[in-house]
Each structure stands twice: as C-alpha cells, then as structure tokens.
Amino acid sequence: MTSLEKYISSYFGVMEQQDLELVGSFFKNTSLKKGEFHTKINGHCDKLSFIQEGIIRIHAPRGNEDITQWISTKGYFVTDLESFIFEKPARWNIQALTECNLYTIDRKDYNKLGTLLPQWHQLEKLFIARCFVMLENRVFDHLSMTAEERYQSFFEQNKELLTQVPLQYIASMLGMKPETLSRVRKKSLH
C-alpha cells in the first residue's frame, strides 16, 4: 500500500482494496525542484497533488507584501481549490520551498473517478467538508487566540518547520509581522 493509499484510507475511512488501488492508479509520481511552481496566480490549476516528501508554500502578493496562506508538508494535499473545481484563474502561487515528491492527479482523471467509483462523490464531499472544517478552525484560532497562543499552537504541531522555513513565511501565515513573531518566540523561550 502506497503512502497515498494509506492516507486516503485513514482520511476517508474503510474502502475496498480494489477501490483504493483504483483511486491510487490515477495519481502519477511527479516532482518539483526547490523554487518551482505547482501553480501560478492567474494560471489554471488543473491538478491536485499529495505531498510524499517536501514543503510547499501557498502565497499571494497583497500590496507591498507577500501573504503566506499555508505551508503544506508531507501527508497533505495541495491545489488551488477554486481553480481546480470551478476552472477559474488561480488565486494562489503554489511553490516548492524544498525538493518535493508528489502524487498528482489532473482534473480530467479526477472527474473520471466519479463515473468509475460509485461512492466517489460521497468521498469527495467528505474530503471537502474536512478541508472546510480545517479552515473554520483556522479562522476561529485567528479570531480567538493571541499572537502568543497562535505561535504556541503552531510550534506544538510543526516544530520541524521552524528550522526549515523562513520565519517571515511563518509569521505571515500566523497573521503577524516578522518582528512580532521574533518577540513572541523570544518570550516563549523564557
């Protein structure tokens, strides 16, 4: 069983082995070099990728700043969901921060799954609902937590990223300025 199949199985619950293999067969091994783009703003995101190895940053310019929406690591999917599902221009740059190995499915094959696998639409609904819940939790944390609490929560879940990702990206993702993150980190060490 591939890491993708294990993830799909753990994420969506019990699936028949042949269904799991069918879904997995539509994903192709791809890679990104450090700095390479999976998707660029205003392009079309016609693929959904699962990260086997590496770190990917999802970001967009806003005024004079570059806002980090998310930093994705091994075991997560990446796509510009609005572009992928609704075929609109991408709103996000999706860029490799390290060398990345991915399992990737294109939109055409993704849509084919709905005709080949009767329960696909239910699984897709569950997947999107989980994405939405994760987003709701993130919004709630931003609204209800102090900068220190957001940093502490991030640190507890992503210790390794603090040494692998530029701190200004983490600060942006946490909704703070780099100097605020620096002050919060220094305070948490004492």
Side-chain angles (χ1 to χ4, degrees):
M1 187 181 285
T2 66
S3 58
L4 174 65
E5 290 170 353
K6 287 178 188 172
Y7 180 79
I8 290 170
S9 181
S10 71
Y11 199 79
F12 295 115
V14 179
M15 282 179 73
E16 296 291 325
Q17 184 60 35
Q18 71 265 18
D19 293 342
L20 203 51
E21 289 171 5
L22 175 68
V23 171
S25 74
F26 280 88
F27 284 81
K28 307 298 178 229
N29 282 312
T30 60
S31 62
L32 291 173
K33 294 180 176 130
K34 181 179 180 177
E36 193 175 351
F37 287 87
H38 177 277
T39 303
K40 283 189 175 183
I41 289 176
N42 294 323
H44 286 280
C45 185
D46 61 353
K47 58 192 171 204
L48 169 73
S49 296
F50 175 80
I51 303 172
Q52 296 179 66
E53 288 294 329
I55 302 171
I56 292 180
R57 177 178 173 234
I58 302 169
H59 61 100
R62 182 168 181 206
N64 295 332
E65 294 183 61
D66 196 53
I67 305 298
T68 300
Q69 187 249 22
W70 191 254
I71 297 169
S72 222
T73 57
K74 179 180 180 175
Y76 284 95
F77 284 98
V78 291
T79 193
D80 182 308
L81 197 56
E82 182 176 38
S83 183
F84 183 71
I85 299 294
F86 300 111
E87 299 185 35
K88 293 190 173 200
R91 296 180 308 148
W92 303 101
N93 287 315
I94 301 175
Q95 185 178 23
L97 291 180
T98 64
E99 299 286 318
C100 294
N101 294 318
L102 312 166
Y103 288 112
T104 300
I105 187 170
D106 65 33
R107 181 186 298 113
K108 184 181 68 158
D109 283 343
Y110 179 87
N111 290 333
K112 239 188 248 179
L113 284 171
T115 60
L116 298 174
L117 197 61
Q119 74 271 28
W120 178 251
H121 295 295
Q122 184 62 32
L123 295 172
E124 179 185 47
K125 185 175 155 183
L126 181 60
F127 171 72
I128 291 173
R130 286 184 188 233
C131 292
F132 188 74
V133 167
M134 191 165 58
L135 180 62
E136 280 184 323
N137 289 340
R138 190 158 172 231
V139 168
F140 181 75
D141 288 351
H142 267 65
L143 295 172
S144 66
M145 293 177 149
T146 65
E148 290 84 3
E149 290 169 331
R150 286 195 309 272
Y151 169 77
Q152 196 58 45
S153 176
F154 179 83
F155 178 75
E156 288 168 7
Q157 296 170 26
N158 304 284
K159 288 179 185 158
E160 74 286 350
L161 287 184
L162 292 171
T163 60
Q164 299 176 16
V165 174
L167 293 179
Q168 73 261 25
Y169 298 163
I170 293 171
S172 176
M173 189 176 90
L174 294 175
M176 55 183 86
K177 299 283 183 202
E179 48 278 6
T180 303
L181 177 62
S182 184
R183 180 181 47 77
V184 166
R185 287 184 73 211
K186 195 178 289 184
K187 189 176 175 182
S188 73
L189 294 174
H190 297 323

